[in-house]
């Protein structure tokens, strides 16, 4: 799972959904649990770079990957995978390779 969201949320959701890899941004805390900085691991407009890095690390071809997102920030991720799904979004992405879906179950029609 690749998200530009925060790890506190992403890790909980990713684990519940069964993801083995969860990459997100995170806060760094001091010994008193005060936030001291934010660590940006996933830049919103560069999710595709992160996905490509994960695919390479796992030895998985682009042809065996899909991505699902709901904003225009996911476009680079869509371009990095064989199939890109825009989930329940009114975002205008004018690219015929991006498939609009209403629910995650709709992905099953294409894989």
């Amino acid at each position: 799972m690749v998200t530009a969201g925060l790890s506190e949320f992403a890790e909980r959701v990713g684990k519940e959904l069964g993801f083995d890899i969860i990459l997100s941004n995170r806060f760094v805390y001091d010994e008193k649990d005060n936030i001291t900085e934010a660590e940006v691991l996933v830049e919103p407009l560069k999710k595709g770079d992160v996905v490509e890095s994960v695919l390479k690390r796992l030895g998985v071809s682009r042809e065996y990957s899909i991505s699902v997102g709901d904003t225009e920030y996911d476009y680079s991720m869509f371009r990095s995978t064989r199939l890109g799904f825009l989930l329940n979004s009114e975002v205008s992405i004018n690219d015929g390779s991006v498939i609009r879906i209403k629910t995650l179950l709709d992905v099953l029609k294409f894989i």
Side-chain angles (χ1 to χ4, degrees):
M1 182 170 133
V2 174
T3 177
L6 292 170
S7 62
E8 288 82 355
F9 176 71
E11 289 178 14
R12 188 170 14 147
V13 171
K15 287 177 184 174
E16 185 174 319
L17 294 174
F19 284 93
D20 294 325
I21 298 172
I22 303 163
L23 298 174
S24 61
N25 300 314
R26 67 183 195 95
F27 289 129
V28 177
Y29 299 90
D30 65 14
E31 63 281 347
K32 295 181 183 179
D33 284 334
N34 296 311
I35 297 171
T36 59
E37 65 182 288
E39 187 175 69
V40 178
L41 302 174
V42 182
E43 293 183 43
L45 294 174
K46 295 185 178 180
K47 291 180 185 180
D49 294 343
V50 177
V51 168
E52 289 174 11
S53 174
V54 170
L55 292 174
K56 184 176 181 179
R57 185 174 68 196
L58 296 174
V60 175
S61 166
R62 175 186 180 279
E63 293 304 309
Y64 295 100
S65 65
I66 67 167
S67 55
V68 179
D70 62 355
T71 74
E72 62 273 10
Y73 298 120
D74 298 316
Y75 184 69
S76 69
M77 181 174 66
F78 297 151
R79 303 290 298 160
S80 298
T81 57
R82 182 174 68 88
L83 296 173
F85 296 95
L86 187 60
L87 176 64
N88 201 22
S89 178
E90 298 301 319
V91 171
S92 177
I93 295 179
N94 296 318
D95 184 330
S97 66
V98 177
I99 302 165
R100 291 183 176 276
I101 58 173
K102 292 290 183 189
T103 71
L104 286 175
L105 290 175
D106 293 337
V107 170
L108 298 176
K109 299 173 189 172
F110 297 92
I111 58 173

